[in-house]
Amino acid sequence: MRDGLKVIGAVVLSALLVACSASDPEPGAATSTGSDVTVADATEPAQVWDRDTVLAALTDARDQVATGDLTEITRAIDGQQHWCVPVDVLYYCALAGWAESPLPGWSEPEPAEPATNPDGSDVPDGDLSYAETFAQFQRLSAEEQQALLLTDLEAAAGATGKALESHYLAAAGPDLDPSFYTAFPDLA
């Protein structure tokens, strides 16, 4: 089981480094992930940055998981949907990473043509599909699922400043409000 946690953990950490993009929903509208699970729309960008305000939804999600309540994520996974939390103008999708809108559901991927070495042997890419990742997650005990989600949400909270900085700097250039760097001093 520990090997399964390591594999899922590696996928999660690599996903933190990649910002996913998808089409933006209408601002202020509730966003459905395609099942009966509804995710609140991301808030408007903060005028004056406050770390606790920005991290409120992630903190609430972490607190929910810490109490052992995995109902929402289990329902989302059972419906082949991502469990996404709004964080300012981005979303953090548990075990998948950052996105500009909630990630759509997944289905079994088309088999990809593997890369090959000069000797003709396959080169594994190391990536699991969402279906494989969540199937491994579902095979874990409730305690292991809880521990993995807590680790994932804590890592997301730690990466929030960098994810938002990257988003805003790509969109608006280097004129990010100085209060942002007060709220996220590790980036200053």
Side-chain angles (χ1 to χ4, degrees):
M1 219 26 94
R2 285 186 138 342
D3 289 336
L5 283 173
K6 287 179 185 176
V7 169
I8 292 174
V11 170
V12 169
L13 291 176
S14 65
L16 288 173
L17 300 175
V18 177
C20 303
S21 67
S23 61
D24 293 330
E26 284 295 314
T31 305
S32 173
T33 58
S35 69
D36 61 348
V37 179
T38 301
V39 179
D41 186 27
T43 60
E44 291 297 315
Q47 296 299 317
V48 175
W49 292 92
D50 176 70
R51 184 182 187 96
D52 292 338
T53 301
V54 172
L55 294 176
L58 274 175
T59 301
D60 290 347
R62 188 211 172 282
D63 291 349
Q64 176 184 342
V65 170
T67 66
D69 182 1
L70 305 180
T71 307
E72 287 183 34
I73 191 164
T74 300
R75 188 175 348 149
I77 291 171
D78 288 347
Q80 293 189 331
Q81 301 296 314
H82 293 276
W83 184 51
C84 299
V85 178
V87 181
D88 192 58
V89 296
L90 297 177
Y91 290 84
Y92 183 74
C93 299
L95 306 178
W98 293 94
E100 291 180 352
S101 63
L103 294 175
W106 68 86
S107 59
E108 287 300 319
E110 293 291 321
E113 187 68 34
T116 56
N117 289 313
D119 67 2
S121 62
D122 289 347
V123 177
D125 65 9
D127 292 339
L128 294 176
S129 69
Y130 289 127
E132 293 167 321
T133 299
F134 290 114
Q136 281 189 7
F137 177 80
Q138 288 178 310
R139 287 192 294 270
L140 299 174
S141 70
E143 293 80 20
E144 290 170 320
Q145 289 178 353
Q146 180 183 19
L148 180 62
L149 285 171
L150 287 173
T151 300
D152 183 54
L153 292 169
E154 288 167 2
T160 296
K162 187 62 176 171
L164 289 171
E165 180 187 47
S166 296
H167 172 78
Y168 281 111
L169 292 180
D175 297 322
L176 198 52
D177 185 87
S179 66
F180 179 85
Y181 295 103
T182 301
F184 297 98
D186 50 315
L187 300 175

